[in-house]
Amino acid sequence: MKKRRVLILGGRSDIGRAISYQFGKAKYEIFLAARDVESLRDDQQNLIIRYGVSVTLYEFDVLNIESHKDFVNSLKSLPDVVVSSIGYLGEQMESEQNTLEAARVMRSNYEGPACILSELANKFEERKSGTLIGISSVAGARGRASNYIYGSAKSGFTSFLSGLRNRLNKSKVNVITVLPGYVDTKMTKALKLPKILTISADALAESVFKAVGKNQDFIISKRWLLIIIILQFIPEKIFKRLSL
C-alpha cells in the first residue's frame, strides 16, 4: 500500500493541530510546518505514540515570501495533500489605526498562503495529482464594518483558490476551499460566538479529512451558505446602515 503524506501549513494553530490528528489516525505520514517549530515537539511525539506514524517538523514563516521556494524544495518528499490552516484575525480597530498591523492581517490571510500554495501547485501540476486545501472564511462573503480588513483578505484568498481550482482541474489536482463560520479556537476566545453557528476545531478537521479524495470543491455548512446568500442580496443602500 502506497504511503500517503500530508503537509499542514500552520501546524501550531488549533485547526492545524486538529487536522494533523485526523490524518494521523488515518496513518498518513505527517509534515508539520510553522514558525517556532520547537513548539510542535509535543504534538510530534503524541502523534507518533498514538498512531505510530512518521512526523517531520519544518520551520516555516508564511510572510517570508522569498523563502517559500526553498521551503518546498526542503521537503523530504512531495506530499499528496497540503492543508493551509494559516490565519491571523487581528483586531479591526487596531488595523484601522495602524496600517502595518492591517498589512500583517492581509498578508497573513491572503498573500502568504496564496504564494506558498502557488509554489506547491506548480509541483502538483507537474506530477498531475494531489489535493490542495485552503482554509478561508465566510467573513470574505461581503465587507462588513466590524471586520472588513480580515474579511477582504479572506475574500481574496477565496477568489485565488477558485482560480487555482479552475487552472489545475485539467491536471487532476483537486483544490478545496474551506469556508467555516465561527470556530471555537484560541484565536476567537475573546469573541462572543453564537453557539448555533459555532463548531469545534475537531469537527472542522473531520470535514476536511473526509473531503479528500471526493473531488469536493467547497466545505461550507448549509446554515452559513444560506446566510451568505442573504447577505449578498441585501442592497448596498440598506447594507451600509446595518451594524454588522
Side-chain angles (χ1 to χ4, degrees):
M1 182 176 172
K2 179 181 178 292
K3 183 181 290 187
R4 297 169 297 176
R5 300 175 177 87
V6 59
L7 166 63
I8 300 170
L9 303 166
R12 199 155 48 93
S13 68
D14 288 347
I15 293 174
R17 292 180 68 251
I19 289 171
S20 72
Y21 281 81
Q22 283 290 329
F23 280 90
K25 191 191 306 183
K27 301 299 183 181
Y28 274 70
E29 181 176 356
I30 298 172
F31 303 161
L32 286 179
R35 287 183 303 163
D36 186 16
V37 73
E38 289 302 314
S39 64
L40 296 172
R41 293 292 179 192
D42 286 346
D43 287 311
Q44 180 186 39
Q45 291 305 310
N46 287 338
L47 286 162
I48 292 171
I49 293 168
R50 188 178 300 188
Y51 303 119
V53 296
S54 172
V55 183
T56 307
L57 305 183
Y58 293 92
E59 186 78 27
F60 175 66
D61 182 357
V62 74
L63 298 184
N64 184 1
I65 307 298
E66 293 80 6
S67 72
H68 287 187
K69 186 180 290 292
D70 288 340
F71 166 76
V72 173
N73 290 334
S74 76
L75 299 174
K76 66 179 185 178
S77 58
L78 189 62
D80 302 285
V81 180
V82 174
V83 183
S84 173
S85 63
I86 296 166
Y88 173 57
L89 184 61
E91 293 186 8
Q92 175 66 29
M93 293 292 288
E94 183 180 358
S95 293
E96 289 174 12
Q97 302 301 317
N98 183 341
T99 55
L100 291 178
E101 175 65 9
R104 182 185 175 197
V105 171
M106 290 186 279
R107 294 187 67 217
S108 298
N109 291 291
Y110 173 41
E111 181 189 33
C115 287
I116 185 58
L117 288 183
S118 291
E119 291 286 354
L120 288 156
N122 292 336
K123 300 285 189 181
F124 278 36
E125 186 175 38
E126 183 180 345
R127 186 180 62 187
K128 297 189 183 305
S129 69
T131 301
L132 298 169
I133 303 172
I135 298 181
S136 189
S137 172
V138 298
R142 191 162 184 180
R144 298 182 294 132
S146 60
N147 70 348
Y148 66 84
I149 292 175
Y150 172 80
S152 67
K154 287 299 189 182
S155 177
F157 190 45
T158 297
S159 293
F160 166 82
L161 292 168
S162 177
L164 189 65
R165 178 163 48 248
N166 186 268
R167 166 195 158 191
L168 296 179
N169 181 57
K170 59 181 176 291
S171 300
K172 309 296 185 186
V173 177
N174 191 26
V175 178
I176 301 174
T177 303
V178 185
L179 294 169
Y182 302 122
V183 184
D184 186 12
T185 65
K186 291 190 292 289
M187 191 170 79
T188 60
K189 67 180 180 180
L191 306 177
K192 294 181 180 179
L193 305 179
K195 288 186 178 180
I196 195 170
L197 294 174
T198 304
I199 63 172
S200 68
D202 288 335
L204 179 60
E206 185 176 357
S207 297
V208 168
F209 175 75
K210 287 181 177 179
V212 174
K214 293 185 176 179
N215 202 30
Q216 191 169 332
D217 296 327
F218 292 92
I219 298 174
I220 183 172
S221 73
K222 292 179 180 178
R223 284 193 182 117
W224 277 108
L225 181 58
L226 179 60
I227 290 171
I228 287 174
I229 292 171
I230 292 171
L231 285 175
Q232 290 181 336
F233 276 94
I234 298 175
E236 192 69 17
K237 287 187 177 181
I238 296 174
F239 189 80
K240 66 183 181 182
R241 297 174 189 158
L242 302 177
S243 299
L244 295 173

